[in-house]
Amino acid sequence: MKKTSIARWTTICLLLWFAIACSTNRSANSSVETAQNSQNQVPTPTSTPEAERIPSGPSEPSPQTASYDTTYDPKTVQGYGDGSDQSSFIAQIRYSNVPLWVRESFFKQKLNERYVMVFRDIRPLYLRGDFNGDSKIDIALMLQEKPVQNGLSSPLIMAIFQGGTEQATIIDDPDKLGADDIWAVVPQEEMAKYPSISALGEGILMAKAASASRTIYWDGKEYNSLQTSD
């Protein structure tokens, strides 16, 4: 009886030992496989947005040729002059900003046959005001006589287009025009400050920075000018 019990317990112990050994072996194999898989696995690259991968900096502006002063010889009321370079293209855009009725008057009076329009970067394309005192808006712009050859330019002149009509008054006297770096509309109340003149409308100031200036005004018969600073 004792021998039977001893044999039974011996068998149970052997079975327990065998089970523990198998379990330990499976755990060890599993750890080895995990380590091998970790070593053999190729890491998947994380997708990075283009803006993060390439440092962004201030974009450099493309070089452009400064337009400065431009002249424009329109072929029609709409324009369509020479647009082969940047300066001509900018001149076309400036011409398109001149009021339509002024462009139409420019052609109806055949001023296009003798003059080109002049646009300067340092001042407005044209002036808008009631220059003859008839309560209608007039437009003043600068012209230049054709042709311009050998790099020599003829003196600039002023054309004042009368609102409500197709008429334009040409001012080509250099003594009346004076400098043309700066021009601006002078309100009629300011024109009243000059007792020596009788202006019926707003004036046109023609000046050069830190230098002499003249004011053009309508006296009821013609456009005259007055030196307003030395």
Side-chain angles (χ1 to χ4, degrees), residues 4 16 36 52 69 120 146 183 204 227:
T4 302
L16 289 173
Q36 290 179 347
E52 296 180 2
D69 300 347
R120 302 197 64 186
K146 299 179 184 181
W183 69 345
I204 299 175
Q227 183 168 332

Side-chain angles (χ1 to χ4, degrees), residues 155-178:
L156 299 184
I157 68 171
M158 180 185 293
I160 300 180
F161 292 83
Q162 309 298 333
T165 71
E166 297 180 358
Q167 301 301 313
T169 301
I170 301 297
I171 304 175
D172 55 6
D173 185 350
D175 293 333
K176 288 185 177 181
L177 293 173

Side-chain angles (χ1 to χ4, degrees), residues 5-152:
S5 297
I6 292 171
R8 182 182 301 169
W9 281 109
T10 300
T11 302
I12 292 173
C13 289
L14 289 175
L15 290 175
L16 289 173
W17 175 85
F18 182 76
I20 292 171
C22 290
S23 175
T24 302
N25 187 45
R26 282 196 301 269
S27 299
N29 290 338
S30 176
S31 299
V32 171
E33 290 178 357
T34 302
Q36 290 179 347
N37 290 337
S38 300
Q39 293 177 356
N40 294 333
Q41 184 177 9
V42 178
T44 303
T46 303
S47 60
T48 304
E50 190 71 18
E52 296 180 2
R53 286 190 281 111
I54 301 177
S56 60
S59 58
E60 296 183 359
S62 59
Q64 293 186 358
T65 304
S67 56
Y68 299 110
D69 300 347
T70 57
T71 60
Y72 190 66
D73 186 10
K75 305 307 178 186
T76 68
V77 172
Q78 288 73 30
Y80 309 122
D82 179 18
S84 58
D85 55 29
Q86 184 188 32
S87 178
S88 299
F89 177 72
I90 292 176
Q92 163 70 46
I93 295 176
R94 291 176 177 173
Y95 173 76
S96 299
N97 279 277
V98 174
L100 177 60
W101 69 268
V102 174
R103 288 182 274 144
E104 290 175 342
S105 178
F106 184 72
F107 276 86
K108 287 179 180 178
Q109 296 189 62
K110 299 184 178 180
L111 296 177
N112 62 300
E113 297 178 1
R114 184 176 178 181
Y115 302 106
V116 296
M117 291 189 179
V118 179
F119 304 116
R120 302 197 64 186
D121 276 3
I122 62 175
R123 66 185 193 189
L125 301 181
Y126 58 87
L127 293 183
R128 182 178 183 274
D130 178 15
F131 303 124
N132 60 359
D134 63 355
S135 300
K136 295 180 181 179
I137 294 300
D138 309 314
I139 298 294
L141 54 80
M142 302 304 292
L143 306 178
Q144 189 174 50
E145 196 162 3
K146 299 179 184 181
V148 179
Q149 296 178 343
N150 300 324
L152 300 176

